[in-house]
């Protein structure tokens, strides 16, 4: 009971802290930060698109709005609501706080399911040494608190960015897959892919979650059991189940058609679905807006010759796809960890990244805080993230406002940020594989 009270105390404090900050958005001026709001997630761009729609003009006219029509229909009316004496867009800010709270609750619930599944697997393998650990908080509680109290999550919530909604859909898909609720998993996956395209690669870990269940030790460990009858029972329990996967495919098709029908109705007079795909997913793939951000693509394509532009666009986008299969083969027994790695890779190589993407995968690392306890360079990564977070606005100010620097100043922080993410992915995968090798040693001794 004391642990639960302590946990909910910090959750409520995080919510209250956000509610306090949303009353000072002009003083913080986070909505103008390129690290927080991108051309795809900026609420001010969404408000402009909704104003165009209300003026009987296509919301995609010009170069302002490039988001989903569904976000325009849901958040658009909230951007015009004004309360006397209250900050602008207060209704949207309250919705983002609610989205963060629901995301944290789902992260906690998913972490608990992972912990219970992994605990059952260790008991079935008779590896009881790893279970004899006294933990004040479970991995799910730690992950939820990391998400709520991460400064990157807070500035994203307060900075008029729609990233909290995208993160909610991603976590909803993973929670539905862990619970083997195919309609819920399909709903979250379809909406997340519709909003920002890159979560479409999460279909691989979602299928593994539905087929195998939550993360377990490698199947070869089950086969090493000395008791043949017990080993056969364990292998049968760990066999891939196609029924929830078929249900997922059906519901994913249903939700996809449903979303496209709604979008076509909303954009019936403004070009329909073809205009939507061109201005949303096409905008992401062609990288039309080269405004500075914390990614590595904007500066590269600002300098590359137009003759090579299409070639390098293919190279950068296919680079993500090349990593999917090897990681899926090696980490198929840990689909939630595989989803975490996919999210980290896409946030590193996507066209318009923001700190909201990093906030999500850094929180999901809390699911595996005990498995990754031996991860190397943890302190270096922590200091690196803090340093980049502090230096990025400084370098941007020196370049844009004071004129004492140039684009290389700001791009250097983006390169350092990308390197930190690469080290995090490599070291976390290495630590997880090392943990599996330790399990194998304990099983054979």
């Amino acid at each position: 009971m004391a642990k639960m009270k302590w946990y909910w105390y910090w959750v409520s404090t995080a919510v209250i802290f956000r509610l306090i900050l949303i009353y000072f958005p002009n003083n913080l001026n986070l909505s103008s930060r390129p690290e927080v709001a991108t051309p795809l997630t900026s609420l001010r761009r969404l408000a402009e698109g909704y104003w165009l729609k209300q003026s009987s003009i296509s919301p995609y006219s010009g170069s302002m709005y490039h988001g989903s029509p569904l976000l325009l229909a849901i958040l658009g009316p909230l951007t015009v609501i004004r309360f006397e004496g209250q900050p602008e867009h207060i209704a949207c800010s309250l919705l983002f706080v609610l989205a963060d709270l629901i995301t944290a609750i789902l992260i906690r619930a998913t972490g608990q399911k992972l912990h219970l599944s992994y605990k059952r697997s260790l008991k079935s393998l008779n590896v009881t040494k790893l279970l004899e650990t006294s933990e004040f908080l479970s991995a799910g509680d730690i992950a939820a608190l990391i998400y709520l109290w991460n400064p990157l999550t807070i500035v994203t919530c307060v900075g008029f960015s729609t990233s909290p909604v995208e993160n909610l859909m991603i976590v909803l898909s993973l929670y539905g897959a862990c619970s083997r609720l195919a309609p819920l998993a399909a709903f979250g996956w379809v909406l997340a892919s519709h909003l920002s395209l890159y979560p479409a690669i999460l279909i691989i870990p979602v299928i593994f979650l539905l087929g195998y269940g939550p993360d377990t030790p490698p199947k070869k460990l089950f086969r090493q059991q000395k008791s043949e009858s017990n080993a056969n029972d364990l292998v049968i329990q760990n066999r891939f189940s196609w029924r929830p996967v078929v249900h997922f495919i059906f519901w994913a098709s249903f939700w996809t058609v449903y979303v496209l029908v709604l979008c076509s109705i909303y954009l019936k007079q403004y070009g329909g679905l073809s205009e939507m795909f061109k201005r949303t997913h096409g905008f992401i793939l062609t990288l039309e807006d080269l405004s500075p951000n914390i990614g590595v693509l904007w500066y590269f394509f600002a300098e590359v010759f137009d003759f090579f532009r299409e070639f390098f666009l293919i190279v950068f986008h296919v680079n993500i796809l090349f990593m999917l299969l090897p990681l899926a083969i090696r980490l198929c027994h840990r689909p939630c960890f595989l989803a975490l790695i996919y999210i980290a890779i896409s946030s590193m190589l996507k066209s318009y990244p923001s700190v909201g993407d990093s906030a999500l995968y850094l929180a999901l690392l809390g699911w595996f805080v005990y498995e990754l306890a031996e991860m190397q360079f943890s302190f270096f990564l922590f200091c690196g993230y803090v340093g980049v977070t502090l230096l990025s606005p400084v370098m941007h100010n020196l370049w844009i406002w004071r004129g004492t620097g140039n684009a290389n100043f700001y791009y250097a922080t983006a390169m350092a940020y990308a390197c930190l993410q690469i080290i995090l992915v490599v070291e976390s995968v290495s630590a997880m594989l090392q943990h599996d090798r330790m399990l194998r040693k304990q099983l054979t001794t």
Side-chain angles (χ1 to χ4, degrees), residues 17-57:
F17 184 62
R18 283 168 167 77
L19 295 177
I20 294 174
L21 288 180
I22 64 176
Y23 280 91
F24 304 99
N26 294 329
N27 295 335
L28 298 174
N29 199 27
L30 294 174
S31 59
S32 62
R33 298 301 314 164
E35 302 90 355
V36 177
T38 68
L40 294 174
T41 63
S42 173
L43 185 64
R44 292 186 174 180
R45 287 177 177 251
L46 187 145
E48 178 69 17
Y50 184 73
W51 182 86
L52 292 174
K53 178 68 168 56
Q54 293 300 101
S55 302
S56 300
I57 304 174

Side-chain angles (χ1 to χ4, degrees), residues 267-283:
L267 298 174
K268 184 177 181 180
Q269 301 176 355
Y270 309 107
L273 293 180
S274 60
E275 182 70 9
M276 181 196 73
F277 284 121
K278 178 182 177 182
R279 295 291 187 171
T280 56
H281 295 171
F283 177 80

Side-chain angles (χ1 to χ4, degrees), residues 300-320:
F300 181 86
F301 284 98
E303 298 294 333
V304 73
F305 291 110
D306 291 338
F307 179 78
F308 299 104
R309 179 180 174 82
E310 294 183 0
F311 169 74
F312 282 109
L313 281 173
I314 296 173
V315 169
F316 276 103
H317 292 310
V318 173
N319 193 23
I320 299 178

Side-chain angles (χ1 to χ4, degrees), residues 243-260:
R243 176 174 293 182
V245 175
V246 173
H247 290 170
F248 170 80
I249 295 174
F250 168 78
W251 281 104
S253 303
F254 172 78
W255 290 122
T256 301
V257 173
Y258 185 72
V259 167
L260 293 179

